[in-house]
Amino acid sequence: QVLLTESGGGLVQAGASLRLSCAASGRTISSYGMGWFRQAPGKEREFVAAISWSGGTDYFDSVKGRFTISRDNAKNTVNLQMNSLKPEDTAVYFCAAEAYGLGSKRIQQYKHWGQGTQVTVSS
């Protein structure tokens, strides 16, 4: 069982940066594909970024050039660096793991989820 715990969320002004971290326990995640998803009030959960076991990355169009996903297998963590934040980035951000290792953008691929961390961006 992979247990995921997110941290790093908070309240910031537009244009600021935040760094989210996802700490895994119970199993090493070096062979897992890892993803970040977000859910705003009244909206469905949506893909933000993913990283494969080999380091390949994929991003939602609206965050390309602003967000960077990375993984530190030695620390069993995955990070999401978020720069130039916008009010529309406001959501609960979830870390997820999928055993295929591909870093898919398909939410159905992910079987392990964290509890989420709130990110609020004020205008």
Side-chain angles (χ1 to χ4, degrees):
Q1 180 73 353
V2 177
L3 300 177
L4 303 172
T5 305
E6 303 93 337
S7 62
L11 170 63
V12 297
Q13 290 189 329
S17 298
L18 279 175
R19 184 177 178 85
L20 305 184
S21 291
C22 173
S25 60
R27 179 172 290 190
T28 181
I29 57 170
S30 59
S31 65
Y32 282 72
M34 301 298 296
W36 284 96
F37 294 78
R38 66 187 180 188
Q39 188 166 18
K43 295 187 177 181
E44 292 187 353
R45 194 169 298 188
E46 66 179 8
F47 168 75
V48 175
I51 187 166
S52 70
W53 71 273
S54 60
T57 59
D58 196 6
Y59 296 93
F60 186 48
D61 283 349
S62 71
V63 308
K64 284 181 180 177
R66 299 189 298 124
F67 291 11
T68 303
I69 187 171
S70 61
R71 64 191 306 156
D72 186 337
N73 289 334
K75 295 182 178 179
N76 223 30
T77 59
V78 175
N79 300 307
L80 184 68
Q81 178 67 43
M82 305 187 297
N83 298 329
S84 302
L85 283 161
K86 304 176 180 179
E88 51 262 43
D89 295 319
T90 295
V92 177
Y93 283 70
F94 297 90
C95 174
E98 54 91 355
Y100 298 98
L102 300 177
S104 172
K105 62 177 64 177
R106 296 181 65 241
I107 194 169
Q108 299 89 340
Q109 295 282 79
Y110 292 83
K111 304 303 181 185
H112 308 282
W113 292 86
Q115 294 299 307
T117 185
Q118 177 70 47
V119 172
T120 303
V121 185
S122 64
S123 57

